[in-house]
Amino acid sequence: MDETKEDTKTGDTAQAVGFPCKNCGSQMSYDPVRGALYCPYCKSTEEIVSVEEEAPEYAYFPEEDAYDAPKWEERGRVTLTCPSCGAETLMSAAAMTATCPFCGANYVTEPQEGEEVIQPETMIPFRVSEGDARSAFARWVRRRFFAPRRFKRGTYRPQLNGIYVPYWTFDAAVHTDYDGFGGRQQVEHYTVRVNGKTEHRTRTKTDWYPVHGSMELDFDNIPCPATKKLDRQLLDKVSGSYSLRTLNVYNPAFLAGFFAERYSVGLGEGFAAVRKVMESRMEAHIKSSLGYDTYRGMSYRHHFRNVKFKHILLPLWLASYRYHEKIFHFMVNGETGQIAGKAPLSPWKIAGTVLLGIAAAVLFGYFLYAIGDMA
């Protein structure tokens, strides 16, 4: 199934991974609906041998920014940098032209020497088809109340690109020493004289107590997108539903017909981001366990051990569309179909809603005033 050719420009032997149809010789692509390779010309399919397993994990040493994972030469896959937006994607070494899935730029590729990178040994193949993703986009557009009418009528049909997004996930055991003060709050009732009348009021009193000690907490599969080219806010909205414990063993057949981005967030940078998440959760866990109403002067000393990571590829449908010279993005989780996006806003609809709100507030105030006057 794989074809090997000699890269005469670089002198290296590169394995150009292709999947020719056994019936007609055309290139086959992975079809999420069939879960197999599919030939669009003769309609034949070919099963992909897919193995699910718990993803292998490797040790990471934060102090040295070192790891014990094997490295993998990207044989048959070249890293291409888009001349327009700078995004890096993995493409077949046999490809002569490419389209950037992030900005839509078209360019001619040139052979490059393979690089050694951390291997994405596991992945989640696409389960959501392009048709289902496009239907999800259409439904999402119809629900945008503040979007311009022209946009909601479906004038815009953006191209959908299937992208395998690189992710890091981290496990760690965190030991934290802490000290500070915990407060117990009590509500006191008292009375005051105002203009000759007695009024009952309350105030909150806080009694402070010193707290100190240590706690341990284990974290598992805390994810971090290893890309800088996607809208992180949208990505966080769709990435929470990925199932990360049991994954498919990496198979290039799943990438046939799709883009695969090489990680642009390094391992150390990814752990630094996840470390903040773990520390924040640990501090919240300590406060919740101690049970005080409020805290002040808290100091934490976090210690990480047994840090492990894995590098995986996760499926995402991405659409970029232009409206009045501004680019908007839309994403669909390629496994679950969860959606997120940003749509243009109609200033007329927003202004109309604000005016209606003001009018309703004025009428409500007048109604209260009338009732009070009648009383």
Side-chain angles (χ1 to χ4, degrees), residues 44-304:
S44 62
T45 61
E46 184 174 331
E47 182 183 359
I48 299 176
V49 179
S50 176
V51 179
E52 291 188 354
E53 67 175 16
E54 289 193 15
E57 297 176 334
Y58 301 98
Y60 176 66
F61 310 99
E63 296 78 8
E64 298 85 15
D65 189 23
Y67 57 89
D68 68 355
K71 293 185 177 181
W72 176 45
E73 185 179 358
E74 295 277 6
R75 301 182 63 82
R77 311 291 293 182
V78 294
T79 300
L80 302 178
T81 302
C82 175
S84 296
C85 70
E88 289 187 339
T89 55
L90 298 180
M91 299 287 291
S92 168
M96 299 302 295
T97 61
T99 300
C100 177
F102 300 95
C103 70
N106 297 303
Y107 51 95
V108 178
T109 67
E110 294 181 358
Q112 300 180 30
E113 187 174 349
E115 297 181 77
E116 288 192 349
V117 296
I118 297 176
Q119 177 183 9
E121 293 183 279
T122 51
M123 61 187 298
I124 296 178
F126 273 89
R127 310 293 188 197
V128 176
S129 69
E130 181 178 354
D132 289 338
R134 193 170 294 281
S135 297
F137 176 77
R139 292 192 300 270
W140 179 82
V141 168
R142 289 194 296 268
R143 293 196 296 263
R144 302 305 100 187
F145 176 78
F146 289 107
R149 186 178 303 173
R150 181 185 174 195
F151 176 78
K152 295 189 67 173
R153 283 202 301 260
T155 306
Y156 294 87
R157 293 182 57 84
Q159 178 180 351
L160 280 171
N161 292 303
I163 304 172
Y164 283 100
V165 181
Y167 271 76
W168 305 111
T169 71
F170 292 92
D171 302 344
V174 181
H175 177 97
T176 300
D177 300 309
Y178 63 88
D179 56 68
F181 295 89
R184 302 285 189 195
Q185 294 180 336
Q186 300 179 36
V187 177
E188 295 182 339
H189 298 269
Y190 65 100
T191 60
V192 296
R193 298 284 293 181
V194 180
N195 297 326
K197 296 181 179 181
T198 301
E199 293 187 1
H200 297 276
R201 297 182 179 179
T202 61
R203 60 190 172 200
T204 301
K205 178 186 176 182
T206 304
D207 296 322
W208 294 100
Y209 304 91
V211 295
H212 61 87
S214 62
M215 285 193 183
E216 291 196 7
L217 201 60
D218 292 327
F219 292 91
D220 184 47
N221 277 334
I222 307 299
C224 175
T227 175
K228 295 181 179 179
K229 294 302 177 183
L230 295 175
D231 186 312
R232 182 60 183 269
Q233 185 179 10
L234 294 183
L235 195 58
D236 288 342
K237 290 181 179 179
V238 300
S239 62
S241 58
Y242 285 117
S243 54
L244 300 178
R245 186 167 298 277
T246 301
L247 305 171
N248 288 75
V249 174
Y250 174 86
N251 188 328
F254 289 125
L255 273 63
F258 293 91
F259 295 94
E261 184 190 2
R262 174 190 165 180
Y263 60 84
S264 53
V265 174
L267 182 60
E269 187 178 356
F271 178 71
V274 167
R275 180 176 186 142
K276 293 180 181 178
V277 174
M278 293 181 178
E279 290 177 350
S280 177
R281 292 184 184 179
M282 169 59 94
E283 292 167 13
H285 175 72
I286 290 173
K287 291 179 178 179
S288 175
S289 299
L290 294 176
Y292 287 92
D293 300 315
T294 186
Y295 297 87
R296 71 179 184 187
M298 293 296 293
S299 174
Y300 304 96
R301 295 166 297 283
H302 302 286
H303 309 279
F304 289 76

